[in-house]
Amino acid sequence: MAQHKQFDVNLLRVFLAVCRTGSYTLAADELDLTQPSVSNAITRFNAVIGEDLFVRSGRNIKPTAMANYLYEQLNDSFTNIEQTISGLEEFDPKTSERQFVIFAGDVVTHFLQPALDKMIKELPIEIVFREPPDHDADIMDKLYMEQADLALDMQLPIDFRFEKKLIMSEKPMCVLRKNHPRIGDEISWDEYFNERHVVIKMRRFNLAAVDLLTDEVLPQRKVHSTKSSLLTAFDSLSSSDSICISPKRYAEEYLEMFNLRLIKPPFKIRNIDIEMVWKSKHNKNPAHIWLRGQIGKLVELKFNEHG
């Protein structure tokens, strides 16, 4: 390896970003640099190491054996340094003008956004809720690129770059209108599948929500309509004899409005587990610690409120 009296640590930061993203362009986006700047930094780092660290493979680049070795040796240490430094940053919610972005679906947003809005009403902070992208990989990429601070969602993939914490576990229930002509206080397997269903489509999975929550192979349902929002599903239930599956606590808040009631599904079904996911780099960041703490407190209060 060539000997250098002074080593530019920024070269290491760029190298690790290129390894993680597999792209000069994506690394440039992550680091807020231009693509030529990233390419130049890698050229300089090649000179420091004394050999090429990436090779072209079609339109993509691939790390060499030396690059893989350096990444394995250096990435954890560099991440720990970043976490330590970010942990020293001061954060005061009374004076900070920080904007936080949270990926969350309509159920989680319904529970948390009004409470968070109320909590920060007199603060200069902004907390913005956005619908998550359609694909898991896009959610994780945007989190990694710090285009969002948190994702509050179900069944996100396990990834060593991120931390997870279970924050909500919702019981699924069957929802139908109060004066349904055929269904009483209980519903049998045959009754359930003889009825027409409002199907809640999960965009990320291209499946009906109920199929994600049971290990049983369910018969094909008679479809009354397909919805991407539970509120529009409740509206359909109120004016038809159709049925659907919904998180219990969420549905309870709309039973009176839409003249609905709840009964237990006739098959084994798992709870809807909502996890909070964030980039590991922010474990010790005071702003992120504050945000995660506020969400944890609000979820606990909401759960106690609903029993």
Side-chain angles (χ1 to χ4, degrees):
M1 181 190 297
Q3 297 298 313
H4 291 258
K5 292 183 178 179
Q6 293 183 334
F7 174 66
D8 185 353
V9 178
N10 286 320
L11 300 182
L12 181 58
R13 186 166 176 255
V14 173
F15 164 72
L16 294 173
V18 173
C19 284
R20 284 194 299 267
T21 62
S23 164
Y24 287 174
T25 301
L26 291 177
D29 289 341
E30 176 185 328
L31 300 173
D32 197 22
L33 298 172
T34 64
Q35 192 271 348
S37 295
V38 170
S39 180
N40 179 60
I42 294 301
T43 299
R44 291 169 58 200
F45 196 46
N46 287 341
V48 172
I49 301 302
E51 60 182 271
D52 289 339
L53 296 170
F54 299 95
V55 294
R56 286 286 175 186
S57 177
R59 295 184 178 181
N60 301 316
I61 58 169
K62 295 180 64 176
T64 63
M66 174 59 77
N68 285 326
Y69 169 76
L70 289 173
Y71 183 80
E72 290 177 3
Q73 296 298 313
L74 299 172
N75 184 58
D76 287 346
S77 297
F78 195 81
T79 299
N80 289 336
I81 292 170
E82 283 191 313
Q83 287 185 9
T84 300
I85 297 300
S86 67
L88 298 176
E89 298 173 3
E90 293 184 359
F91 174 75
D92 185 349
K94 295 179 181 178
T95 58
S96 175
E97 296 183 356
R98 173 72 184 267
Q99 181 190 80
F100 295 102
V101 176
I102 299 174
F103 285 146
D106 57 348
V107 173
V108 178
T109 299
H110 168 81
F111 277 131
L112 291 182
Q113 189 169 28
L116 283 171
D117 286 347
K118 183 178 179 180
M119 183 192 72
I120 66 171
K121 185 177 181 180
E122 304 299 328
L123 300 177
I125 290 170
E126 289 185 70
I127 300 179
V128 179
F129 279 76
R130 293 180 182 163
E131 279 283 335
D134 289 348
H135 303 289
D136 285 352
D138 291 336
I139 296 174
M140 306 309 274
D141 284 347
K142 287 184 181 297
L143 277 179
Y144 186 77
M145 301 293 286
E146 300 184 24
Q147 295 176 16
D149 296 282
L150 298 174
L152 308 177
D153 212 329
M154 60 183 291
Q155 297 188 14
L156 286 172
I158 297 173
D159 189 314
F160 71 92
R161 300 171 299 172
F162 301 93
E163 302 288 341
K164 279 187 176 186
K165 181 180 179 181
L166 178 66
I167 61 166
M168 299 169 63
S169 189
E170 283 290 284
K171 183 178 181 180
M173 296 291 286
C174 183
V175 190
L176 65 161
R177 67 186 177 98
K178 285 183 178 178
N179 55 343
H180 195 287
R182 291 175 295 278
I183 301 174
D185 295 335
E186 296 181 349
I187 185 170
S188 69
W189 176 280
D190 289 338
E191 287 174 330
Y192 182 88
F193 290 103
N194 282 335
E195 294 298 332
R196 298 176 71 199
H197 294 250
V198 176
V199 178
I200 309 299
K201 277 287 187 180
M202 305 293 290
R203 290 179 302 160
R204 282 170 47 217
F205 305 100
N206 198 29
L207 289 170
V210 67
D211 293 302
L212 288 171
L213 301 172
T214 180
D215 295 325
E216 298 188 41
V217 179
L218 302 180
Q220 186 171 357
R221 267 106 44 220
K222 302 173 185 177
V223 177
H224 170 271
S225 56
T226 301
K227 307 290 183 182
S228 59
S229 162
L230 279 169
L231 276 184
T232 56
F234 294 162
D235 185 54
S236 292
L237 297 179
S238 69
S239 57
S240 71
D241 293 338
S242 55
I243 60 177
C244 83
I245 294 292
S246 167
K248 180 176 183 288
R249 299 173 198 265
Y250 183 76
E252 284 175 338
E253 299 198 16
Y254 294 99
L255 295 182
E256 185 176 348
M257 179 186 300
F258 291 103
N259 195 36
L260 304 174
R261 59 190 173 94
L262 303 178
I263 54 176
K264 186 178 178 182
F267 46 83
K268 291 182 179 179
I269 188 166
R270 293 186 295 274
N271 279 5
I272 302 167
D273 290 340
I274 303 296
E275 296 173 315
M276 177 162 56
V277 182
W278 67 93
K279 192 175 177 180
S280 298
K281 169 186 172 181
H282 299 308
N283 278 345
K284 299 178 181 179
N285 183 285
H288 278 260
I289 292 171
W290 176 86
L291 178 63
R292 299 195 301 267
Q294 299 310 307
I295 289 174
K297 291 176 185 176
L298 290 175
V299 169
E300 186 177 352
L301 287 173
K302 199 74 177 176
F303 271 30
N304 289 338
E305 174 185 316
H306 283 73

